[in-house]
Amino acid sequence: MPKIKVKRASTTIDMTAMCDVSFLLLTFFILTATARQPEPLPVDTPASTVQIKVPDANLGTVTVGGDGKVFFGVAGPNVRMRMLERMSEKYSIGFSQKEKERFSLMEGFGVPIGNLKQIIAMDNAERNKPGLQPGIPTDSVGENPSQLHDWIIAARYATKELNNEEMRVAIKGDSKEQYPSIKKVIDILQGQKINKFSLVTNLRTEDYGD
Amino acid sequence: MAELNTGGKQSPRVDLTPMVDLAFLLITFFMLTTSLAKPHAMDVAMPDKDKENKDDNLEVADNRTLTVLLGANNKIEYYMGQLEKPLDGPTVVGYGKNGIRPVILKKMKEVQAATGKGLIVIIRPSDNSNYRNLVDILDEMKIVNAQQYMIGDISEPEIELLKREGVY
């Protein structure tokens, strides 16, 4: 009896092309990657048609979200360290060298300066738990300006000293945030004669609305 | 003579499957950790306000000023000129390309034709408007290419007006 010959198709596929493509993509992503930093106060920024990118250096970011909580962060570890030194002089709270170094690695923070030591002592995951940090006080106490005001001043001086450039201020607000809490931050900025600042937004097309 | 059969006829193919697996795993990782969309910055200039002697009594012609009040529920109320005797409005509109944009474009044309100067837009956000509204209206100024606009504080009669129209 004649045998029926079943032609065996090979099950191996040539993977070379696929490998090429995937490594090309991989290279692209590695080169464009800037690791996303975990944020202590995640906000949903509103969209606009503006095309200008946020600068990387000499930038102080005031984040407003979660019912008026205000967080502050500056670009550059050296600037942060110098800023903390200025603040510790002003509020006469001493920080050890270790604490300063740990602080210089923090992207942003949102606690009254009295509680800053506890936050510095925590590790990254613990620190960025939502709801842990109550926000920087924005109200002035008697004659003294608010702590946010002092932080921004300290950051501006530190930027000027180290980089010899003016610090730009960006406000990164949550789109659902009520206007008065934004107004408070704008007033603090205007209180130190910063009349020009940036609002951080996402991108969209012109045809929004209904 | 005895020949060494060291598999000279074997195909030089290497199985690339694990390599592809690894590459895709890494791609996935980098895609998820990358923030490709870098945020954008909208520049805002506020009027200087530390002059104590004059509050905000900037004298501008009534027929050139359009006041835009930002109310609650994503609504805008606008009027032309002064609140007591508005030249146009007050009217409630929404945001976007079918809301405030045609209004501003029309006013810009009218003012340009009537006075030969540009329109001045005064933006007054109320306490019940949110941050997105502020960004939206500033963006609108950029889109219609309005040259003169400012952000001011809302006054009591204007809040009354918003309340009357039910957008506060």
Side-chain angles (χ1 to χ4, degrees), chain B residues 41-163:
Chain B
M42 173 189 272
D43 285 346
V44 185
M46 297 289 283
D48 204 1
K49 73 167 190 183
D50 61 343
K51 304 271 193 305
E52 282 155 14
N53 41 3
K54 39 179 169 180
D55 296 313
D56 47 6
N57 301 327
L58 207 61
E59 290 287 327
V60 278
D62 286 357
N63 56 0
R64 283 178 63 202
T65 55
L66 176 72
T67 307
V68 178
L69 307 174
L70 309 185
N73 307 324
N74 302 325
K75 287 290 176 199
I76 294 177
E77 184 150 24
Y78 71 89
Y79 63 87
M80 198 78 193
Q82 287 179 18
L83 183 61
E84 290 77 29
K85 39 180 174 42
L87 303 172
D88 184 12
T91 315
V92 178
V93 288
Y95 288 86
K97 68 175 195 294
N98 297 324
I100 190 75
R101 195 178 308 167
V103 176
I104 300 176
L105 285 170
K106 191 166 134 252
K107 294 284 175 216
M108 280 170 83
K109 275 207 194 86
E110 284 174 9
V111 169
Q112 188 70 36
T115 62
K117 290 176 189 159
L119 177 75
I120 301 166
V121 184
I122 300 167
I123 300 161
R124 298 207 165 126
S126 74
D127 285 0
N128 283 352
S129 63
N130 59 29
Y131 178 60
R132 191 216 311 258
N133 297 149
L134 180 69
V135 171
D136 276 351
I137 194 75
L138 289 172
D139 195 28
E140 213 58 57
M141 295 297 125
K142 295 255 167 31
I143 292 172
V144 302
N145 200 14
Q147 297 301 323
Q148 284 176 295
Y149 58 90
M150 55 180 265
I151 302 168
D153 293 331
I154 199 157
S155 67
E156 207 50 54
E158 285 167 333
I159 293 177
E160 288 301 316
L161 177 71
L162 286 176
K163 273 185 186 153

Side-chain angles (χ1 to χ4, degrees), chain A residues 104-143:
Chain A
S104 74
L105 296 176
M106 280 162 58
E107 281 286 312
F109 63 94
V111 283
I113 190 159
N115 299 350
L116 194 57
K117 268 183 193 284
Q118 297 164 21
I119 293 295
I120 292 175
M122 289 176 184
D123 63 24
N124 247 327
E126 222 179 327
R127 197 184 288 147
N128 291 336
K129 261 186 207 154
L132 177 78
Q133 303 192 37
I136 302 171
T138 49
D139 292 315
S140 49
V141 184
E143 288 291 295

Side-chain angles (χ1 to χ4, degrees), chain A residues 22 29 49 52 54 168 175 177 179 183 187 190 193 195-199 201 204 206 208 210, chain B residues 27 31 38 40-44 46-50 98 101 129-132 136 139-140 153:
Chain A
S22 56
F29 277 108
T49 56
I52 308 159
V54 176
R168 292 184 61 89
S175 46
E177 201 58 40
Y179 180 65
K183 172 88 184 135
D187 282 343
Q190 288 207 281
K193 299 209 172 89
N195 284 320
K196 202 160 178 285
F197 44 83
S198 310
L199 304 179
T201 61
R204 72 169 167 208
E206 285 187 14
Y208 73 98
D210 31 41
Chain B
I27 286 181
M31 270 171 76
K38 229 186 138 209
H40 296 250
M42 173 189 272
D43 285 346
V44 185
M46 297 289 283
D48 204 1
K49 73 167 190 183
D50 61 343
N98 297 324
R101 195 178 308 167
S129 63
N130 59 29
Y131 178 60
R132 191 216 311 258
D136 276 351
D139 195 28
E140 213 58 57
D153 293 331

Side-chain angles (χ1 to χ4, degrees), chain A residues 10-210:
Chain A
S10 145
T11 48
T12 51
I13 312 163
D14 187 11
M15 286 274 176
T16 325
M18 193 168 172
C19 195
D20 285 357
V21 172
S22 56
F23 269 98
L24 184 79
L25 281 173
L26 184 58
T27 322
F28 170 74
F29 277 108
I30 289 179
L31 291 181
T32 54
T34 43
R36 188 190 289 161
Q37 300 291 337
E39 292 171 355
L41 184 69
V43 290
D44 170 29
T45 53
S48 79
T49 56
V50 184
Q51 301 275 5
I52 308 159
K53 296 268 161 84
V54 176
D56 283 327
N58 305 321
L59 182 79
T61 311
V62 182
T63 312
V64 188
D67 291 324
K69 278 186 195 170
V70 177
F71 281 54
F72 184 60
V74 200
N78 298 337
V79 178
R80 280 182 215 141
M81 206 184 263
R82 187 73 195 102
M83 169 174 85
L84 185 66
E85 279 165 14
R86 291 193 79 95
M87 285 300 280
S88 78
E89 273 169 41
K90 174 144 185 154
Y91 284 84
S92 15
I93 300 174
F95 290 97
S96 67
Q97 190 61 31
K98 188 106 195 297
E99 282 173 326
K100 281 180 198 165
E101 269 160 29
R102 284 184 67 98
F103 178 79
S104 74
L105 296 176
M106 280 162 58
E107 281 286 312
F109 63 94
V111 283
I113 190 159
N115 299 350
L116 194 57
K117 268 183 193 284
Q118 297 164 21
I119 293 295
I120 292 175
M122 289 176 184
D123 63 24
N124 247 327
E126 222 179 327
R127 197 184 288 147
N128 291 336
K129 261 186 207 154
L132 177 78
Q133 303 192 37
I136 302 171
T138 49
D139 292 315
S140 49
V141 184
E143 288 291 295
N144 296 328
S146 63
Q147 285 187 18
L148 181 65
H149 177 100
D150 288 334
W151 279 112
I152 296 174
I153 286 258
R156 290 174 72 197
Y157 272 112
T159 310
K160 187 78 188 166
E161 275 172 31
L162 295 170
N163 299 350
N164 200 21
E165 286 213 38
E166 287 293 327
M167 188 186 85
R168 292 184 61 89
V169 181
I171 298 179
K172 190 175 177 186
D174 194 278
S175 46
K176 294 207 172 51
E177 201 58 40
Q178 295 285 298
Y179 180 65
S181 42
I182 303 286
K183 172 88 184 135
K184 227 178 203 170
V185 175
I186 294 180
D187 282 343
I188 287 172
L189 293 180
Q190 288 207 281
Q192 38 182 288
K193 299 209 172 89
I194 306 177
N195 284 320
K196 202 160 178 285
F197 44 83
S198 310
L199 304 179
V200 177
T201 61
N202 289 331
L203 196 61
R204 72 169 167 208
T205 60
E206 285 187 14
D207 290 335
Y208 73 98
D210 31 41

